[in-house]
Amino acid sequence: MRINICGVEIDKYSFDEVVERIIEHASSQGEPEYVVTPNAMHILLLQKDALFQEIYRKAFLVVPDGVSLLWAAKLLQTPLKGRVNGTDLFEKLCAIAAEEGLKVFLLGGRPGSAEKAKETLVSRYPSLQIVGTYCPPYGFESQPTELNSINSTIIATAPHILFVGLGAPKQEKWIAANCLYLGVPISVGIGVSFEMVSNMVTRSPVLMQKTGFEWLFRLLVEPRRLWKRYIFGNPTFIWLVIKQYMGLFKGFSNKKIFRRF
């Protein structure tokens, strides 16, 4: 079952249910599928990006990464079962992959973050098989030679789960364009999770995560990179939710109604 928030259909699964579905599909080596983890920023980007919208419609799972989505769902009287944070999902899936003998590949992140995340996770779960890490250069998506090299590396290592940390919507668009060719059972876009697991980016205190103020902590830690996203984005998201609550939301629009974040 999916519920609608500002035109985006989001799965109504608990964290444990999401983990179970992903592991089951990866273990059975089913047809290539992908998981998207929306937050308020994704909701805004989706309002004006038709390709991003189509990618979301075809996703295996659409799980609520941001607490703001839980608040919006409650206001709209269609409550979700809880947050499925991308970093928590990444760590939990790696823990179970270690138990189940599933192979994983880490693609993206800042230079060195995927390798540091690998070191951290393998120290926690010694049996975890991280069969590859790679940080592609800036602009790689327009470099055919680089794209072919990445794909060949992933295919050769044959992971069960591919974690992609390229930021939205780049990671989702890359996954959607390549997942069938790669043949990886499950691909998951996880944003800055490599950096957080490796402590290259400090994660907010648990209380701030639970109360929905993780965005404020991240803004304080990386103000130059994130100020536009949160200062302009948060009010716009709130306005869209209010419009939906009042019955005034008419669906996606291709009009540029807010700044790019």
Side-chain angles (χ1 to χ4, degrees):
M1 178 182 176
R2 288 183 171 179
I3 64 110
N4 185 292
I5 298 178
C6 303
V8 181
E9 299 291 328
I10 299 174
D11 283 299
K12 193 174 180 179
Y13 290 120
S14 68
F15 181 88
D16 289 341
E17 288 171 334
V18 169
V19 169
E20 182 180 357
R21 291 204 63 189
I22 291 174
I23 292 297
E24 180 181 350
H25 189 81
S27 299
S28 66
Q29 299 194 51
E31 291 296 314
E33 298 281 3
Y34 59 86
V35 178
V36 292
T37 56
N39 53 28
M41 186 196 72
H42 284 222
I43 299 294
L44 299 185
L45 292 173
L46 282 156
Q47 302 304 311
K48 58 180 179 179
D49 190 328
L51 175 57
F52 202 20
Q53 295 163 17
E54 183 64 16
I55 290 168
Y56 256 68
R57 280 192 287 269
K58 293 181 178 179
F60 177 64
L61 291 170
V62 182
V63 299
D65 177 71
V67 173
S68 57
L69 300 190
L70 305 187
W71 291 346
K74 188 173 182 179
L75 175 66
L76 297 169
Q77 299 182 350
T78 54
L80 292 160
K81 288 188 176 182
R83 186 183 185 193
V84 185
N85 174 265
T87 302
D88 293 338
L89 183 62
F90 171 45
E91 294 191 67
K92 184 65 174 181
L93 289 173
C94 284
I96 297 179
E99 296 173 358
E100 300 292 330
L102 301 178
K103 297 183 294 183
V104 304
F105 193 105
L106 314 184
L107 175 68
R110 301 176 191 181
S113 64
E115 190 60 34
K116 286 186 177 180
K118 174 182 177 179
E119 292 173 5
T120 300
L121 290 167
V122 170
S123 69
R124 292 179 190 168
Y125 317 111
S127 60
L128 177 61
Q129 300 178 66
I130 298 182
V131 293
T133 69
Y134 186 65
C135 175
Y138 180 79
F140 80 96
E141 65 273 16
S142 60
Q143 302 172 17
T145 300
E146 182 68 22
L147 287 170
N148 290 336
S149 176
I150 292 170
N151 287 350
S152 296
T153 300
I154 294 172
I155 290 171
T157 56
H160 295 89
I161 306 174
L162 170 63
F163 295 103
V164 184
L166 299 173
K170 181 186 290 188
Q171 62 193 16
E172 289 80 14
K173 291 181 177 180
W174 183 88
I175 290 170
N178 292 276
C179 67
L180 291 178
Y181 176 72
L182 294 173
V184 179
I186 287 286
S187 299
V188 190
I190 55 169
V192 297
S193 293
F194 299 158
E195 289 87 339
M196 289 188 173
V197 167
S198 62
N199 290 320
M200 290 180 69
V201 171
T202 304
R203 194 170 183 190
S204 67
V206 174
L207 180 61
M208 295 187 80
Q209 295 175 37
K210 291 182 176 180
T211 56
F213 288 97
E214 188 171 15
W215 68 271
L216 179 59
F217 183 85
R218 291 194 62 200
L219 177 60
L220 294 173
V221 171
E222 300 184 274
R224 294 183 64 181
R225 188 174 76 86
L226 298 173
W227 73 272
K228 285 186 179 180
R229 176 190 300 184
Y230 294 126
I231 299 302
F232 292 105
N234 285 358
T236 305
F237 172 74
I238 292 169
W239 172 236
L240 288 177
V241 173
I242 291 173
K243 284 178 66 178
Q244 183 176 353
Y245 177 75
M246 298 174 64
L248 301 176
F249 183 79
K250 303 300 182 183
F252 291 127
S253 170
N254 291 322
K255 295 179 180 179
K256 190 173 183 180
I257 58 172
F258 45 77
R259 299 169 185 260
R260 183 165 183 82
F261 306 104

